[in-house]
Amino acid sequence: MTVLDSAPTALDAYRTCEFVTLGRNGTPLAWPTAVARRPDGTLLLTTSLAFAQKALNVRRDGRVALLFSDPTGSGLDPAPQVFVGGRAQCPDEIMTGPEGAEEYWRMLFDRQPHSRSYLSAPMRPLMQWYYLRLLITVEPEQLTVRPPLAALSEPGAAAAVTGTEALSGAAQLSRFPTAVLAARDATGAPLLARTRPRPTPAGYLVDVPPDCAVERGSASLLVHRHDERLNHMYNASVRGDLRRTDDGWLLVPSAVVEPMGSGRPTDALRVLRHTKRSTDRYLERRGLPRPKVQWDRFRALAKSAAQKEQAS
């Protein structure tokens, strides 16, 4: 019996989850990611060397949390929200092939067909960073199942209130009906809750469920999307300070981070430059040469996923 046994179907069906780690200054930093449930009850995530901050955070403070709350592509109806709190480990071992994470990669190639094209010979020089991965294993300690947050037909209204147009993050939050709040509890452990930010001239009012005992401090609001085949992705994080007011919890924004850009034609080139620099920096700081990707092993898993798709 494991912590996750009460919600295995939902966990396995979700295409992504929101995953939060603690930054150097304690700020909870949440990003969407794919996750695989292992037979032993642990959860496996991976991150490339180009986006290694999650791994570095875990090595410094293993307290993490996951929220399964965007059911796009899952087939779940209704789709319960599942919160998982626990501790993570991430060895400083660069994985150049799928060994130790075969089921994870098999799942990814199956659910994200366009990622198979990264293995083609013309794409390899550009996408090598994508396959140099660090493995993050989460040992769940807490599980909470929440009811679905009722869907809205209209996007958020982050810029619809007079005086909030210039509020940091208004442009990003206004594209989404909901966002995921990343905050901390009284012990400093990270918490996650999907909410509907309500703009005010001072910041964003957010409702949190009764089981999410947030405390004042640094926090963030994450918005992200993907289609049913894990394509057309976008994500942004609005960071700031969470405060208790007479009207409820208020996030006062101070910064916005869009790691994949905002959709401009030049974003793809900028991201590729970033991935190369970040990968090189990770290796240089450890005095390591650039490892060789085991392309053949990845191609074998991708081929298996393609054959499964054709047969279905």
Side-chain angles (χ1 to χ4, degrees), residues 66 133 203 226:
L66 306 92
R133 296 268 177 149
H226 61 79

Side-chain angles (χ1 to χ4, degrees), residues 42-59:
T42 61
L43 296 172
L44 175 64
L45 305 89
T46 76
T47 187
S48 73
L49 300 192
F51 297 96
Q53 193 58 54
K54 294 187 287 292
L56 301 179
N57 290 346
V58 163
R59 291 169 189 165

Side-chain angles (χ1 to χ4, degrees), residues 181-310:
L181 174 69
R184 293 177 294 178
D185 66 15
T187 70
L191 295 171
L192 292 167
R194 188 165 283 274
T195 185
R196 294 192 181 94
R198 304 191 305 278
T200 73
Y204 302 101
L205 286 169
V206 292
D207 295 324
V208 296
D211 61 76
C212 191
V214 299
E215 293 285 329
R216 174 171 181 165
S218 57
S220 61
L221 286 167
L222 168 69
V223 289
H224 69 98
R225 65 167 173 261
H226 61 79
D227 64 19
E228 294 190 353
R229 308 194 89 184
L230 291 179
N231 201 0
H232 302 108
M233 294 184 171
Y234 169 82
N235 55 72
S237 174
V238 180
R239 300 173 184 176
D241 185 61
L242 188 66
R243 306 172 185 176
R244 185 69 175 177
T245 71
D246 292 340
D247 295 321
W249 287 105
L250 181 77
L251 182 90
V252 180
S254 58
V256 179
V257 180
E258 291 177 300
M260 306 305 289
S262 59
R264 296 184 298 269
T266 57
D267 284 342
L269 181 59
R270 182 186 61 80
V271 170
L272 287 175
R273 287 174 177 169
H274 166 81
T275 57
K276 184 180 186 307
R277 288 196 300 265
S278 298
T279 300
D280 289 344
R281 189 181 310 118
Y282 188 95
L283 296 171
E284 288 169 1
R285 288 178 176 176
R286 288 158 179 79
L288 299 173
R290 184 177 286 268
K292 294 182 179 180
V293 175
Q294 299 177 35
W295 298 109
D296 289 346
R297 295 192 178 186
F298 282 118
R299 283 175 59 85
L301 290 181
K303 182 179 179 180
S304 175
Q307 291 173 338
K308 177 182 176 182
E309 184 179 42
Q310 292 171 359

Side-chain angles (χ1 to χ4, degrees), residues 2-230:
T2 71
V3 170
L4 303 183
D5 283 347
S6 60
T9 301
L11 292 185
D12 293 344
Y14 270 96
R15 268 35 183 173
T16 62
C17 73
E18 296 84 31
F19 177 59
V20 61
T21 61
L22 296 173
R24 187 180 298 276
N25 64 355
T27 299
L29 305 174
W31 295 110
T33 188
V35 60
R37 183 172 61 93
R38 284 172 160 167
D40 64 359
T42 61
L43 296 172
L44 175 64
L45 305 89
T46 76
T47 187
S48 73
L49 300 192
F51 297 96
Q53 193 58 54
K54 294 187 287 292
L56 301 179
N57 290 346
V58 163
R59 291 169 189 165
R60 185 172 49 251
D61 190 329
R63 294 176 295 177
V64 301
L66 306 92
L67 181 65
F68 298 79
S69 66
D70 180 351
T72 303
S74 70
L76 297 174
D77 185 20
Q81 300 180 73
V82 183
F83 171 82
V84 179
R87 290 187 175 272
Q89 293 183 345
C90 182
D92 196 359
E93 180 182 359
I94 301 170
M95 308 305 293
T96 61
E99 67 275 7
E102 288 89 349
E103 288 305 313
Y104 176 93
W105 283 104
R106 192 173 285 113
M107 175 192 72
L108 200 60
F109 288 136
D110 179 48
R111 295 179 173 181
Q112 190 182 49
H114 76 269
S115 66
R116 304 171 200 160
S117 66
Y118 301 163
L119 293 163
S120 65
M123 292 293 291
R124 290 181 186 181
L126 295 176
M127 299 304 297
Q128 185 184 50
W129 61 272
Y130 184 81
Y131 294 99
L132 297 177
R133 296 268 177 149
L134 303 168
L135 304 187
I136 300 174
T137 300
V138 178
E139 183 73 45
E141 298 175 342
Q142 173 191 358
L143 182 143
T144 302
V145 179
R146 300 170 184 156
L149 195 61
L152 294 179
S153 59
E154 297 296 329
V161 177
T162 301
T164 66
E165 296 87 351
L167 200 61
S168 182
Q172 289 76 21
L173 296 180
S174 65
R175 304 172 193 168
F176 296 83
T178 62
V180 172
L181 174 69
R184 293 177 294 178
D185 66 15
T187 70
L191 295 171
L192 292 167
R194 188 165 283 274
T195 185
R196 294 192 181 94
R198 304 191 305 278
T200 73
Y204 302 101
L205 286 169
V206 292
D207 295 324
V208 296
D211 61 76
C212 191
V214 299
E215 293 285 329
R216 174 171 181 165
S218 57
S220 61
L221 286 167
L222 168 69
V223 289
H224 69 98
R225 65 167 173 261
H226 61 79
D227 64 19
E228 294 190 353
R229 308 194 89 184
L230 291 179

